[in-house]
Amino acid sequence: MYSAPTSPMMLPRPLRHHLARALPVPALFLTLCLTSSGQTSFSSNPTRFVVCDKGVGSFRGKLPDFSSRSGVIVSVAAKKGKIKGFAIRSCEAKLTWGRHDEILIAPQAAQVDIDVMGADLGLGTPVVAFQIRTTAADPGVRYEIYSLNKPPKLLRTITGQDFFSAADTRLDGSVEIWTTDSAAVNGFENLPLRAFDSPPPVVLRFEDEKLMDVSSEFQSYFDDQIRALRSDLGERQLSNFRNSDGKLSAEHLQGNDEPRGLLATKIKVLEIVWCYLSSGREQKAWDALADMWPPSDVDRIRAAISKAATQGMRTQVDGVSHLTAPASSRRSNIYDTTSSFGGYGKDTWERTKLADTGPEQILLRLPSPNDPQHWDQQRQVELVIDEAGKVRSVRMQGGIVKDVSAAWKDEPNQDWIDTAPGWKYIPAFKDGHPIAFRSKLDLRRDQ
């Protein structure tokens, strides 16, 4: 059993850049063994792998047998058929317990994903959380959280955002739900959601069973986003934009074109302002707006931003935290060894160092090779998997521990590292509670 180090978090690049590289390729999971290593953590898990997409992919499993809630089976499956002669490829999810008891979660959806299974999101019980996209054209997903008691119950539904990812970000035993306020920006200034490279991040947490916006506790993450956005804005760009009318009514996006020129500058300025607002720094947001926006249009756009912010995620939370740091500095223990349940044959002191179960795989995808001759490549990686079943750090064999969302120049394993945030697990358990765990995996691509 090891305590997590207290070194500063390494933070990811803007979300959209990272999401674009998530390509689902099957992988063969060969071996799970145990090791220990140092680790660094990163803030969110934005790589968008899904369990079932348009009729491809499936999962079926339950919590470890020692758990009193192990009888609930979670299933996501591909569903194929025809409607009026046309083939359909969809996904469905259900919870089953007993011979005839089941809840159908999503009977026919374009995408169904399991974000977490077995984690305690702060609702006092292990849960399973599904991400459901009803149709391929739907810009948002539905996040449904069910208890894993028998019978399971729907505890909360969050809608309208483009992804959700629960993680124990600081490895302190507190699980946050990371998302973006895409509902607020979609259509803002007549811009589609795809035009925004980094929609405003939002960090949620259940406290006393209330869903709270705790984004202000993660200002360093937002500052990293702001720095990345500012680095893309040159003085000439800003000067030209400030000399415009701000509305840019004559400029439109065509098809899937990327925003260019003054329109691209306008979007980055909006993203910077929203990062300040989302992280609880309203005055800094308006100061940045006044510094970068055309003076004649500042009042109009400020009112529009304020209105949009009230119509997004804030309509679904029960409250907003104004803390700028977590209330507790507790650090999670990271286990790296298991024993059979109860640790029979070992004394009490020895059992306290052992987890009851290790992580169990829900979803693991590897990148396709640049050269088809390299399909049989093998890699060994060491992971820290948190209480939500998400990867917090990765070490390639013979390498140093890396923040998987950072760019590493000339890193031959970068494509493997980039996929790690999308891997999902049923977390390890100790005394019936999910825990952080350090694992070593031997992986090989499988065609």
Side-chain angles (χ1 to χ4, degrees):
M1 182 172 66
Y2 296 84
S3 295
T6 57
S7 57
M9 291 186 297
M10 299 180 71
L11 303 169
R13 295 183 298 253
L15 294 172
R16 289 288 173 187
H17 293 302
H18 199 58
L19 295 173
R21 291 196 300 276
L23 301 175
V25 179
L28 179 62
F29 181 91
L30 294 180
T31 309
L32 172 64
C33 49
L34 306 168
T35 189
S36 64
S37 68
Q39 66 90 36
T40 56
S41 62
F42 53 95
S43 297
S44 59
N45 180 22
T47 304
R48 208 181 303 189
F49 291 151
V50 297
V51 172
C52 182
D53 181 19
K54 301 181 186 70
V56 177
S58 63
F59 170 82
R60 178 182 172 86
K62 59 186 180 68
L63 297 190
D65 288 337
F66 74 84
S67 172
S68 62
R69 301 174 178 88
S70 62
V72 178
I73 298 173
V74 178
S75 302
V76 173
K79 186 176 181 181
K80 301 178 182 179
K82 291 186 176 181
I83 297 179
K84 296 182 180 180
F86 294 94
I88 59 169
R89 300 174 68 89
S90 61
C91 306
E92 69 175 15
K94 61 184 178 181
L95 303 175
T96 59
W97 67 102
R99 293 185 60 183
H100 305 291
D101 299 313
E102 75 172 34
I103 299 175
L104 189 60
I105 308 299
Q108 189 171 301
Q111 288 182 345
V112 178
D113 183 39
I114 299 171
D115 180 44
V116 294
M117 179 178 167
D120 183 353
L121 298 184
L123 294 167
T125 184
V127 302
V128 58
F130 297 97
Q131 296 192 85
I132 302 165
R133 191 180 302 275
T134 305
T135 67
D138 192 342
V141 299
R142 188 169 74 252
Y143 195 70
E144 295 190 359
I145 304 170
Y146 287 81
S147 68
L148 286 174
N149 298 314
K150 293 186 283 187
K153 293 182 180 179
L154 177 62
L155 302 178
R156 187 81 180 217
T157 299
I158 313 172
T159 62
Q161 312 313 318
D162 62 343
F163 86 100
F164 296 86
S165 182
D168 180 4
T169 309
R170 295 189 174 103
L171 285 175
D172 60 1
S174 177
V175 178
E176 294 84 31
I177 303 172
W178 289 74
T179 184
T180 63
D181 204 350
S182 57
V185 301
N186 188 23
F188 184 77
E189 294 284 278
N190 297 315
L191 293 167
L193 179 60
R194 64 176 175 81
F196 291 87
D197 203 40
S198 300
V202 179
V203 190
L204 308 173
R205 184 191 301 130
F206 283 99
E207 297 179 353
D208 298 325
E209 301 187 9
K210 293 182 179 180
L211 185 63
M212 303 294 293
D213 181 340
V214 295
S215 304
S216 63
E217 296 181 17
F218 296 87
Q219 290 183 0
S220 60
Y221 168 80
F222 288 86
D223 288 341
D224 186 75
Q225 297 285 79
I226 292 167
R227 281 191 294 271
L229 290 164
R230 283 188 180 274
S231 69
D232 290 336
L233 289 175
E235 288 301 322
R236 179 174 293 182
Q237 288 176 273
L238 281 173
S239 177
N240 290 341
F241 177 62
R242 278 179 59 83
N243 289 327
S244 73
D245 67 356
K247 297 179 182 180
L248 304 182
S249 302
E251 299 196 24
H252 303 281
L253 289 176
Q254 301 295 327
N256 291 321
D257 288 348
E258 293 289 327
R260 292 182 174 85
L262 294 182
L263 190 58
T265 303
K266 173 178 178 173
I267 290 170
K268 289 187 184 301
V269 172
L270 287 172
E271 290 171 343
I272 290 170
V273 172
W274 249 305
C275 273
Y276 280 123
L277 277 180
S278 294
S279 57
R281 294 173 285 184
E282 185 174 359
Q283 189 56 54
K284 283 194 173 184
W286 303 141
D287 290 345
L289 188 69
D291 183 54
M292 294 183 287
W293 204 265
S296 62
D297 193 47
V298 166
D299 290 342
R300 180 196 69 84
I301 197 66
R302 175 171 170 169
I305 292 171
S306 297
K307 181 179 179 181
T310 64
Q311 297 173 344
M313 178 56 72
R314 291 286 172 92
T315 65
Q316 298 192 62
V317 300
D318 301 315
V320 179
S321 171
H322 298 289
L323 297 176
T324 57
S328 172
S329 59
R330 182 173 69 90
R331 306 296 296 179
S332 293
N333 293 322
I334 302 176
Y335 292 78
D336 64 3
T337 311
T338 61
S339 69
S340 59
F341 178 64
Y344 299 113
K346 298 180 181 295
D347 60 33
T348 302
W349 181 85
E350 182 72 12
R351 289 198 301 270
T352 62
K353 300 191 297 180
L354 305 177
D356 294 326
T357 65
E360 297 182 19
Q361 176 190 338
I362 295 175
L363 178 64
L364 191 152
R365 301 264 171 87
L366 296 181
S368 57
N370 295 325
D371 185 339
Q373 296 182 0
H374 295 161
W375 264 111
D376 61 348
Q377 284 182 329
Q378 298 186 38
R379 292 290 187 276
Q380 186 178 85
V381 297
E382 297 177 9
L383 308 173
V384 171
I385 299 168
D386 68 16
E387 290 93 326
K390 300 297 178 59
V391 176
R392 304 311 315 151
S393 71
V394 57
R395 181 210 294 264
M396 303 302 295
Q397 183 181 29
I400 64 171
V401 177
K402 297 182 184 298
D403 165 12
V404 299
S405 63
W408 291 82
K409 186 177 180 180
D410 301 324
E411 168 55 71
N413 296 311
Q414 187 63 46
D415 56 341
W416 295 70
I417 293 170
D418 283 344
T419 63
W423 301 346
K424 302 173 186 179
Y425 296 84
I426 298 172
F429 280 83
K430 173 70 174 174
D431 298 329
H433 299 286
I435 56 172
F437 196 89
R438 184 175 288 109
S439 296
K440 177 188 282 187
L441 304 180
D442 290 317
L443 302 171
R444 178 173 64 85
R445 290 189 179 103
D446 178 27
Q447 298 187 60

